[in-house]
C-alpha cells in the first residue's frame, strides 16, 4: 500500500506533462494527420505501461536488497554518486544532439507502434 502514492504520482506525471512524447505526437499529427499518428500514440501507451510494470516489478526486489545493504555500503554509494551525475549530464546532451540532427531531416513516414514503444527509429 505504501507504493500506491508514488505509482499514482508517476502515472499522473507521465500522462499529463507536455513531455517529448506529446510534442512528437503533435508534430506527427501536423505532418501525417490523425490516422497516421494512431500507431505512434498506441506505441507510447504500450511503452509507458511496460515501463511502469517493469519498474514496479523490479524495484520492489531491488529496493529490499538495497535497504538491507545500505548501512554496509557507504563506499559503494560514494562510487555510484559520480556515475549518477554523469548520466544526468549525458542524457540532455544526447537529446540535444538528436534534436539538432532531427531539425535537418524530416521523416517520410510516422513512427509505428513498435518504434514509439521502444523509442527508436
Amino acid at each position: 500500500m505504501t507504493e500506491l502514492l508514488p505509482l499514482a504520482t508517476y502515472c499522473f506525471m507521465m500522462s499529463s506533462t507536455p513531455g517529448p512524447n506529446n510534442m512528437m505526437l503533435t508534430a506527427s499529427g501536423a505532418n501525417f494527420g490523425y490516422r497516421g499518428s494512431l500507431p505512434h500514440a498506441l506505441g507510447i501507451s504500450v511503452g509507458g505501461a511496460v515501463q511502469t510494470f517493469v519498474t514496479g516489478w523490479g524495484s520492489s526486489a531491488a529496493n529490499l536488497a538495497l535497504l538491507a545493504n545500505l548501512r554496509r555500503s557507504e563506499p559503494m554509494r560514494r562510487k555510484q554518486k559520480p556515475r549518477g551525475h554523469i548520466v544526468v549530464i549525458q542524457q540532455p546532451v544526447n537529446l540535444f544532439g538528436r534534436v539538432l540532427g532531427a531539425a535537418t531531416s524530416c521523416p517520410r513516414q510516422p513512427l509505428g507502434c513498435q518504434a514509439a514503444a521502444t523509442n527508436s527509429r
Side-chain angles (χ1 to χ4, degrees), residues 5 22-23 25 36 39 43-44 49 59 75 84 95 101-102 104 107 113-114:
L5 180 62
N22 292 344
M23 295 298 152
L25 276 176
I44 289 172
S59 68
L95 180 64
T104 59
C113 181
Q114 182 179 1

Side-chain angles (χ1 to χ4, degrees), residues 22-71:
N22 292 344
M23 295 298 152
M24 288 191 319
L25 276 176
T26 301
S28 180
N31 290 328
F32 306 110
Y34 179 74
R35 282 194 174 165
S37 300
L38 278 177
H40 187 178
L42 179 65
I44 289 172
S45 299
V46 168
V50 168
Q51 180 183 10
T52 303
F53 174 75
V54 169
T55 301
W57 181 54
S59 68
S60 60
N63 284 339
L64 289 176
L66 179 66
L67 289 175
N69 296 323
L70 190 59
R71 291 187 182 94

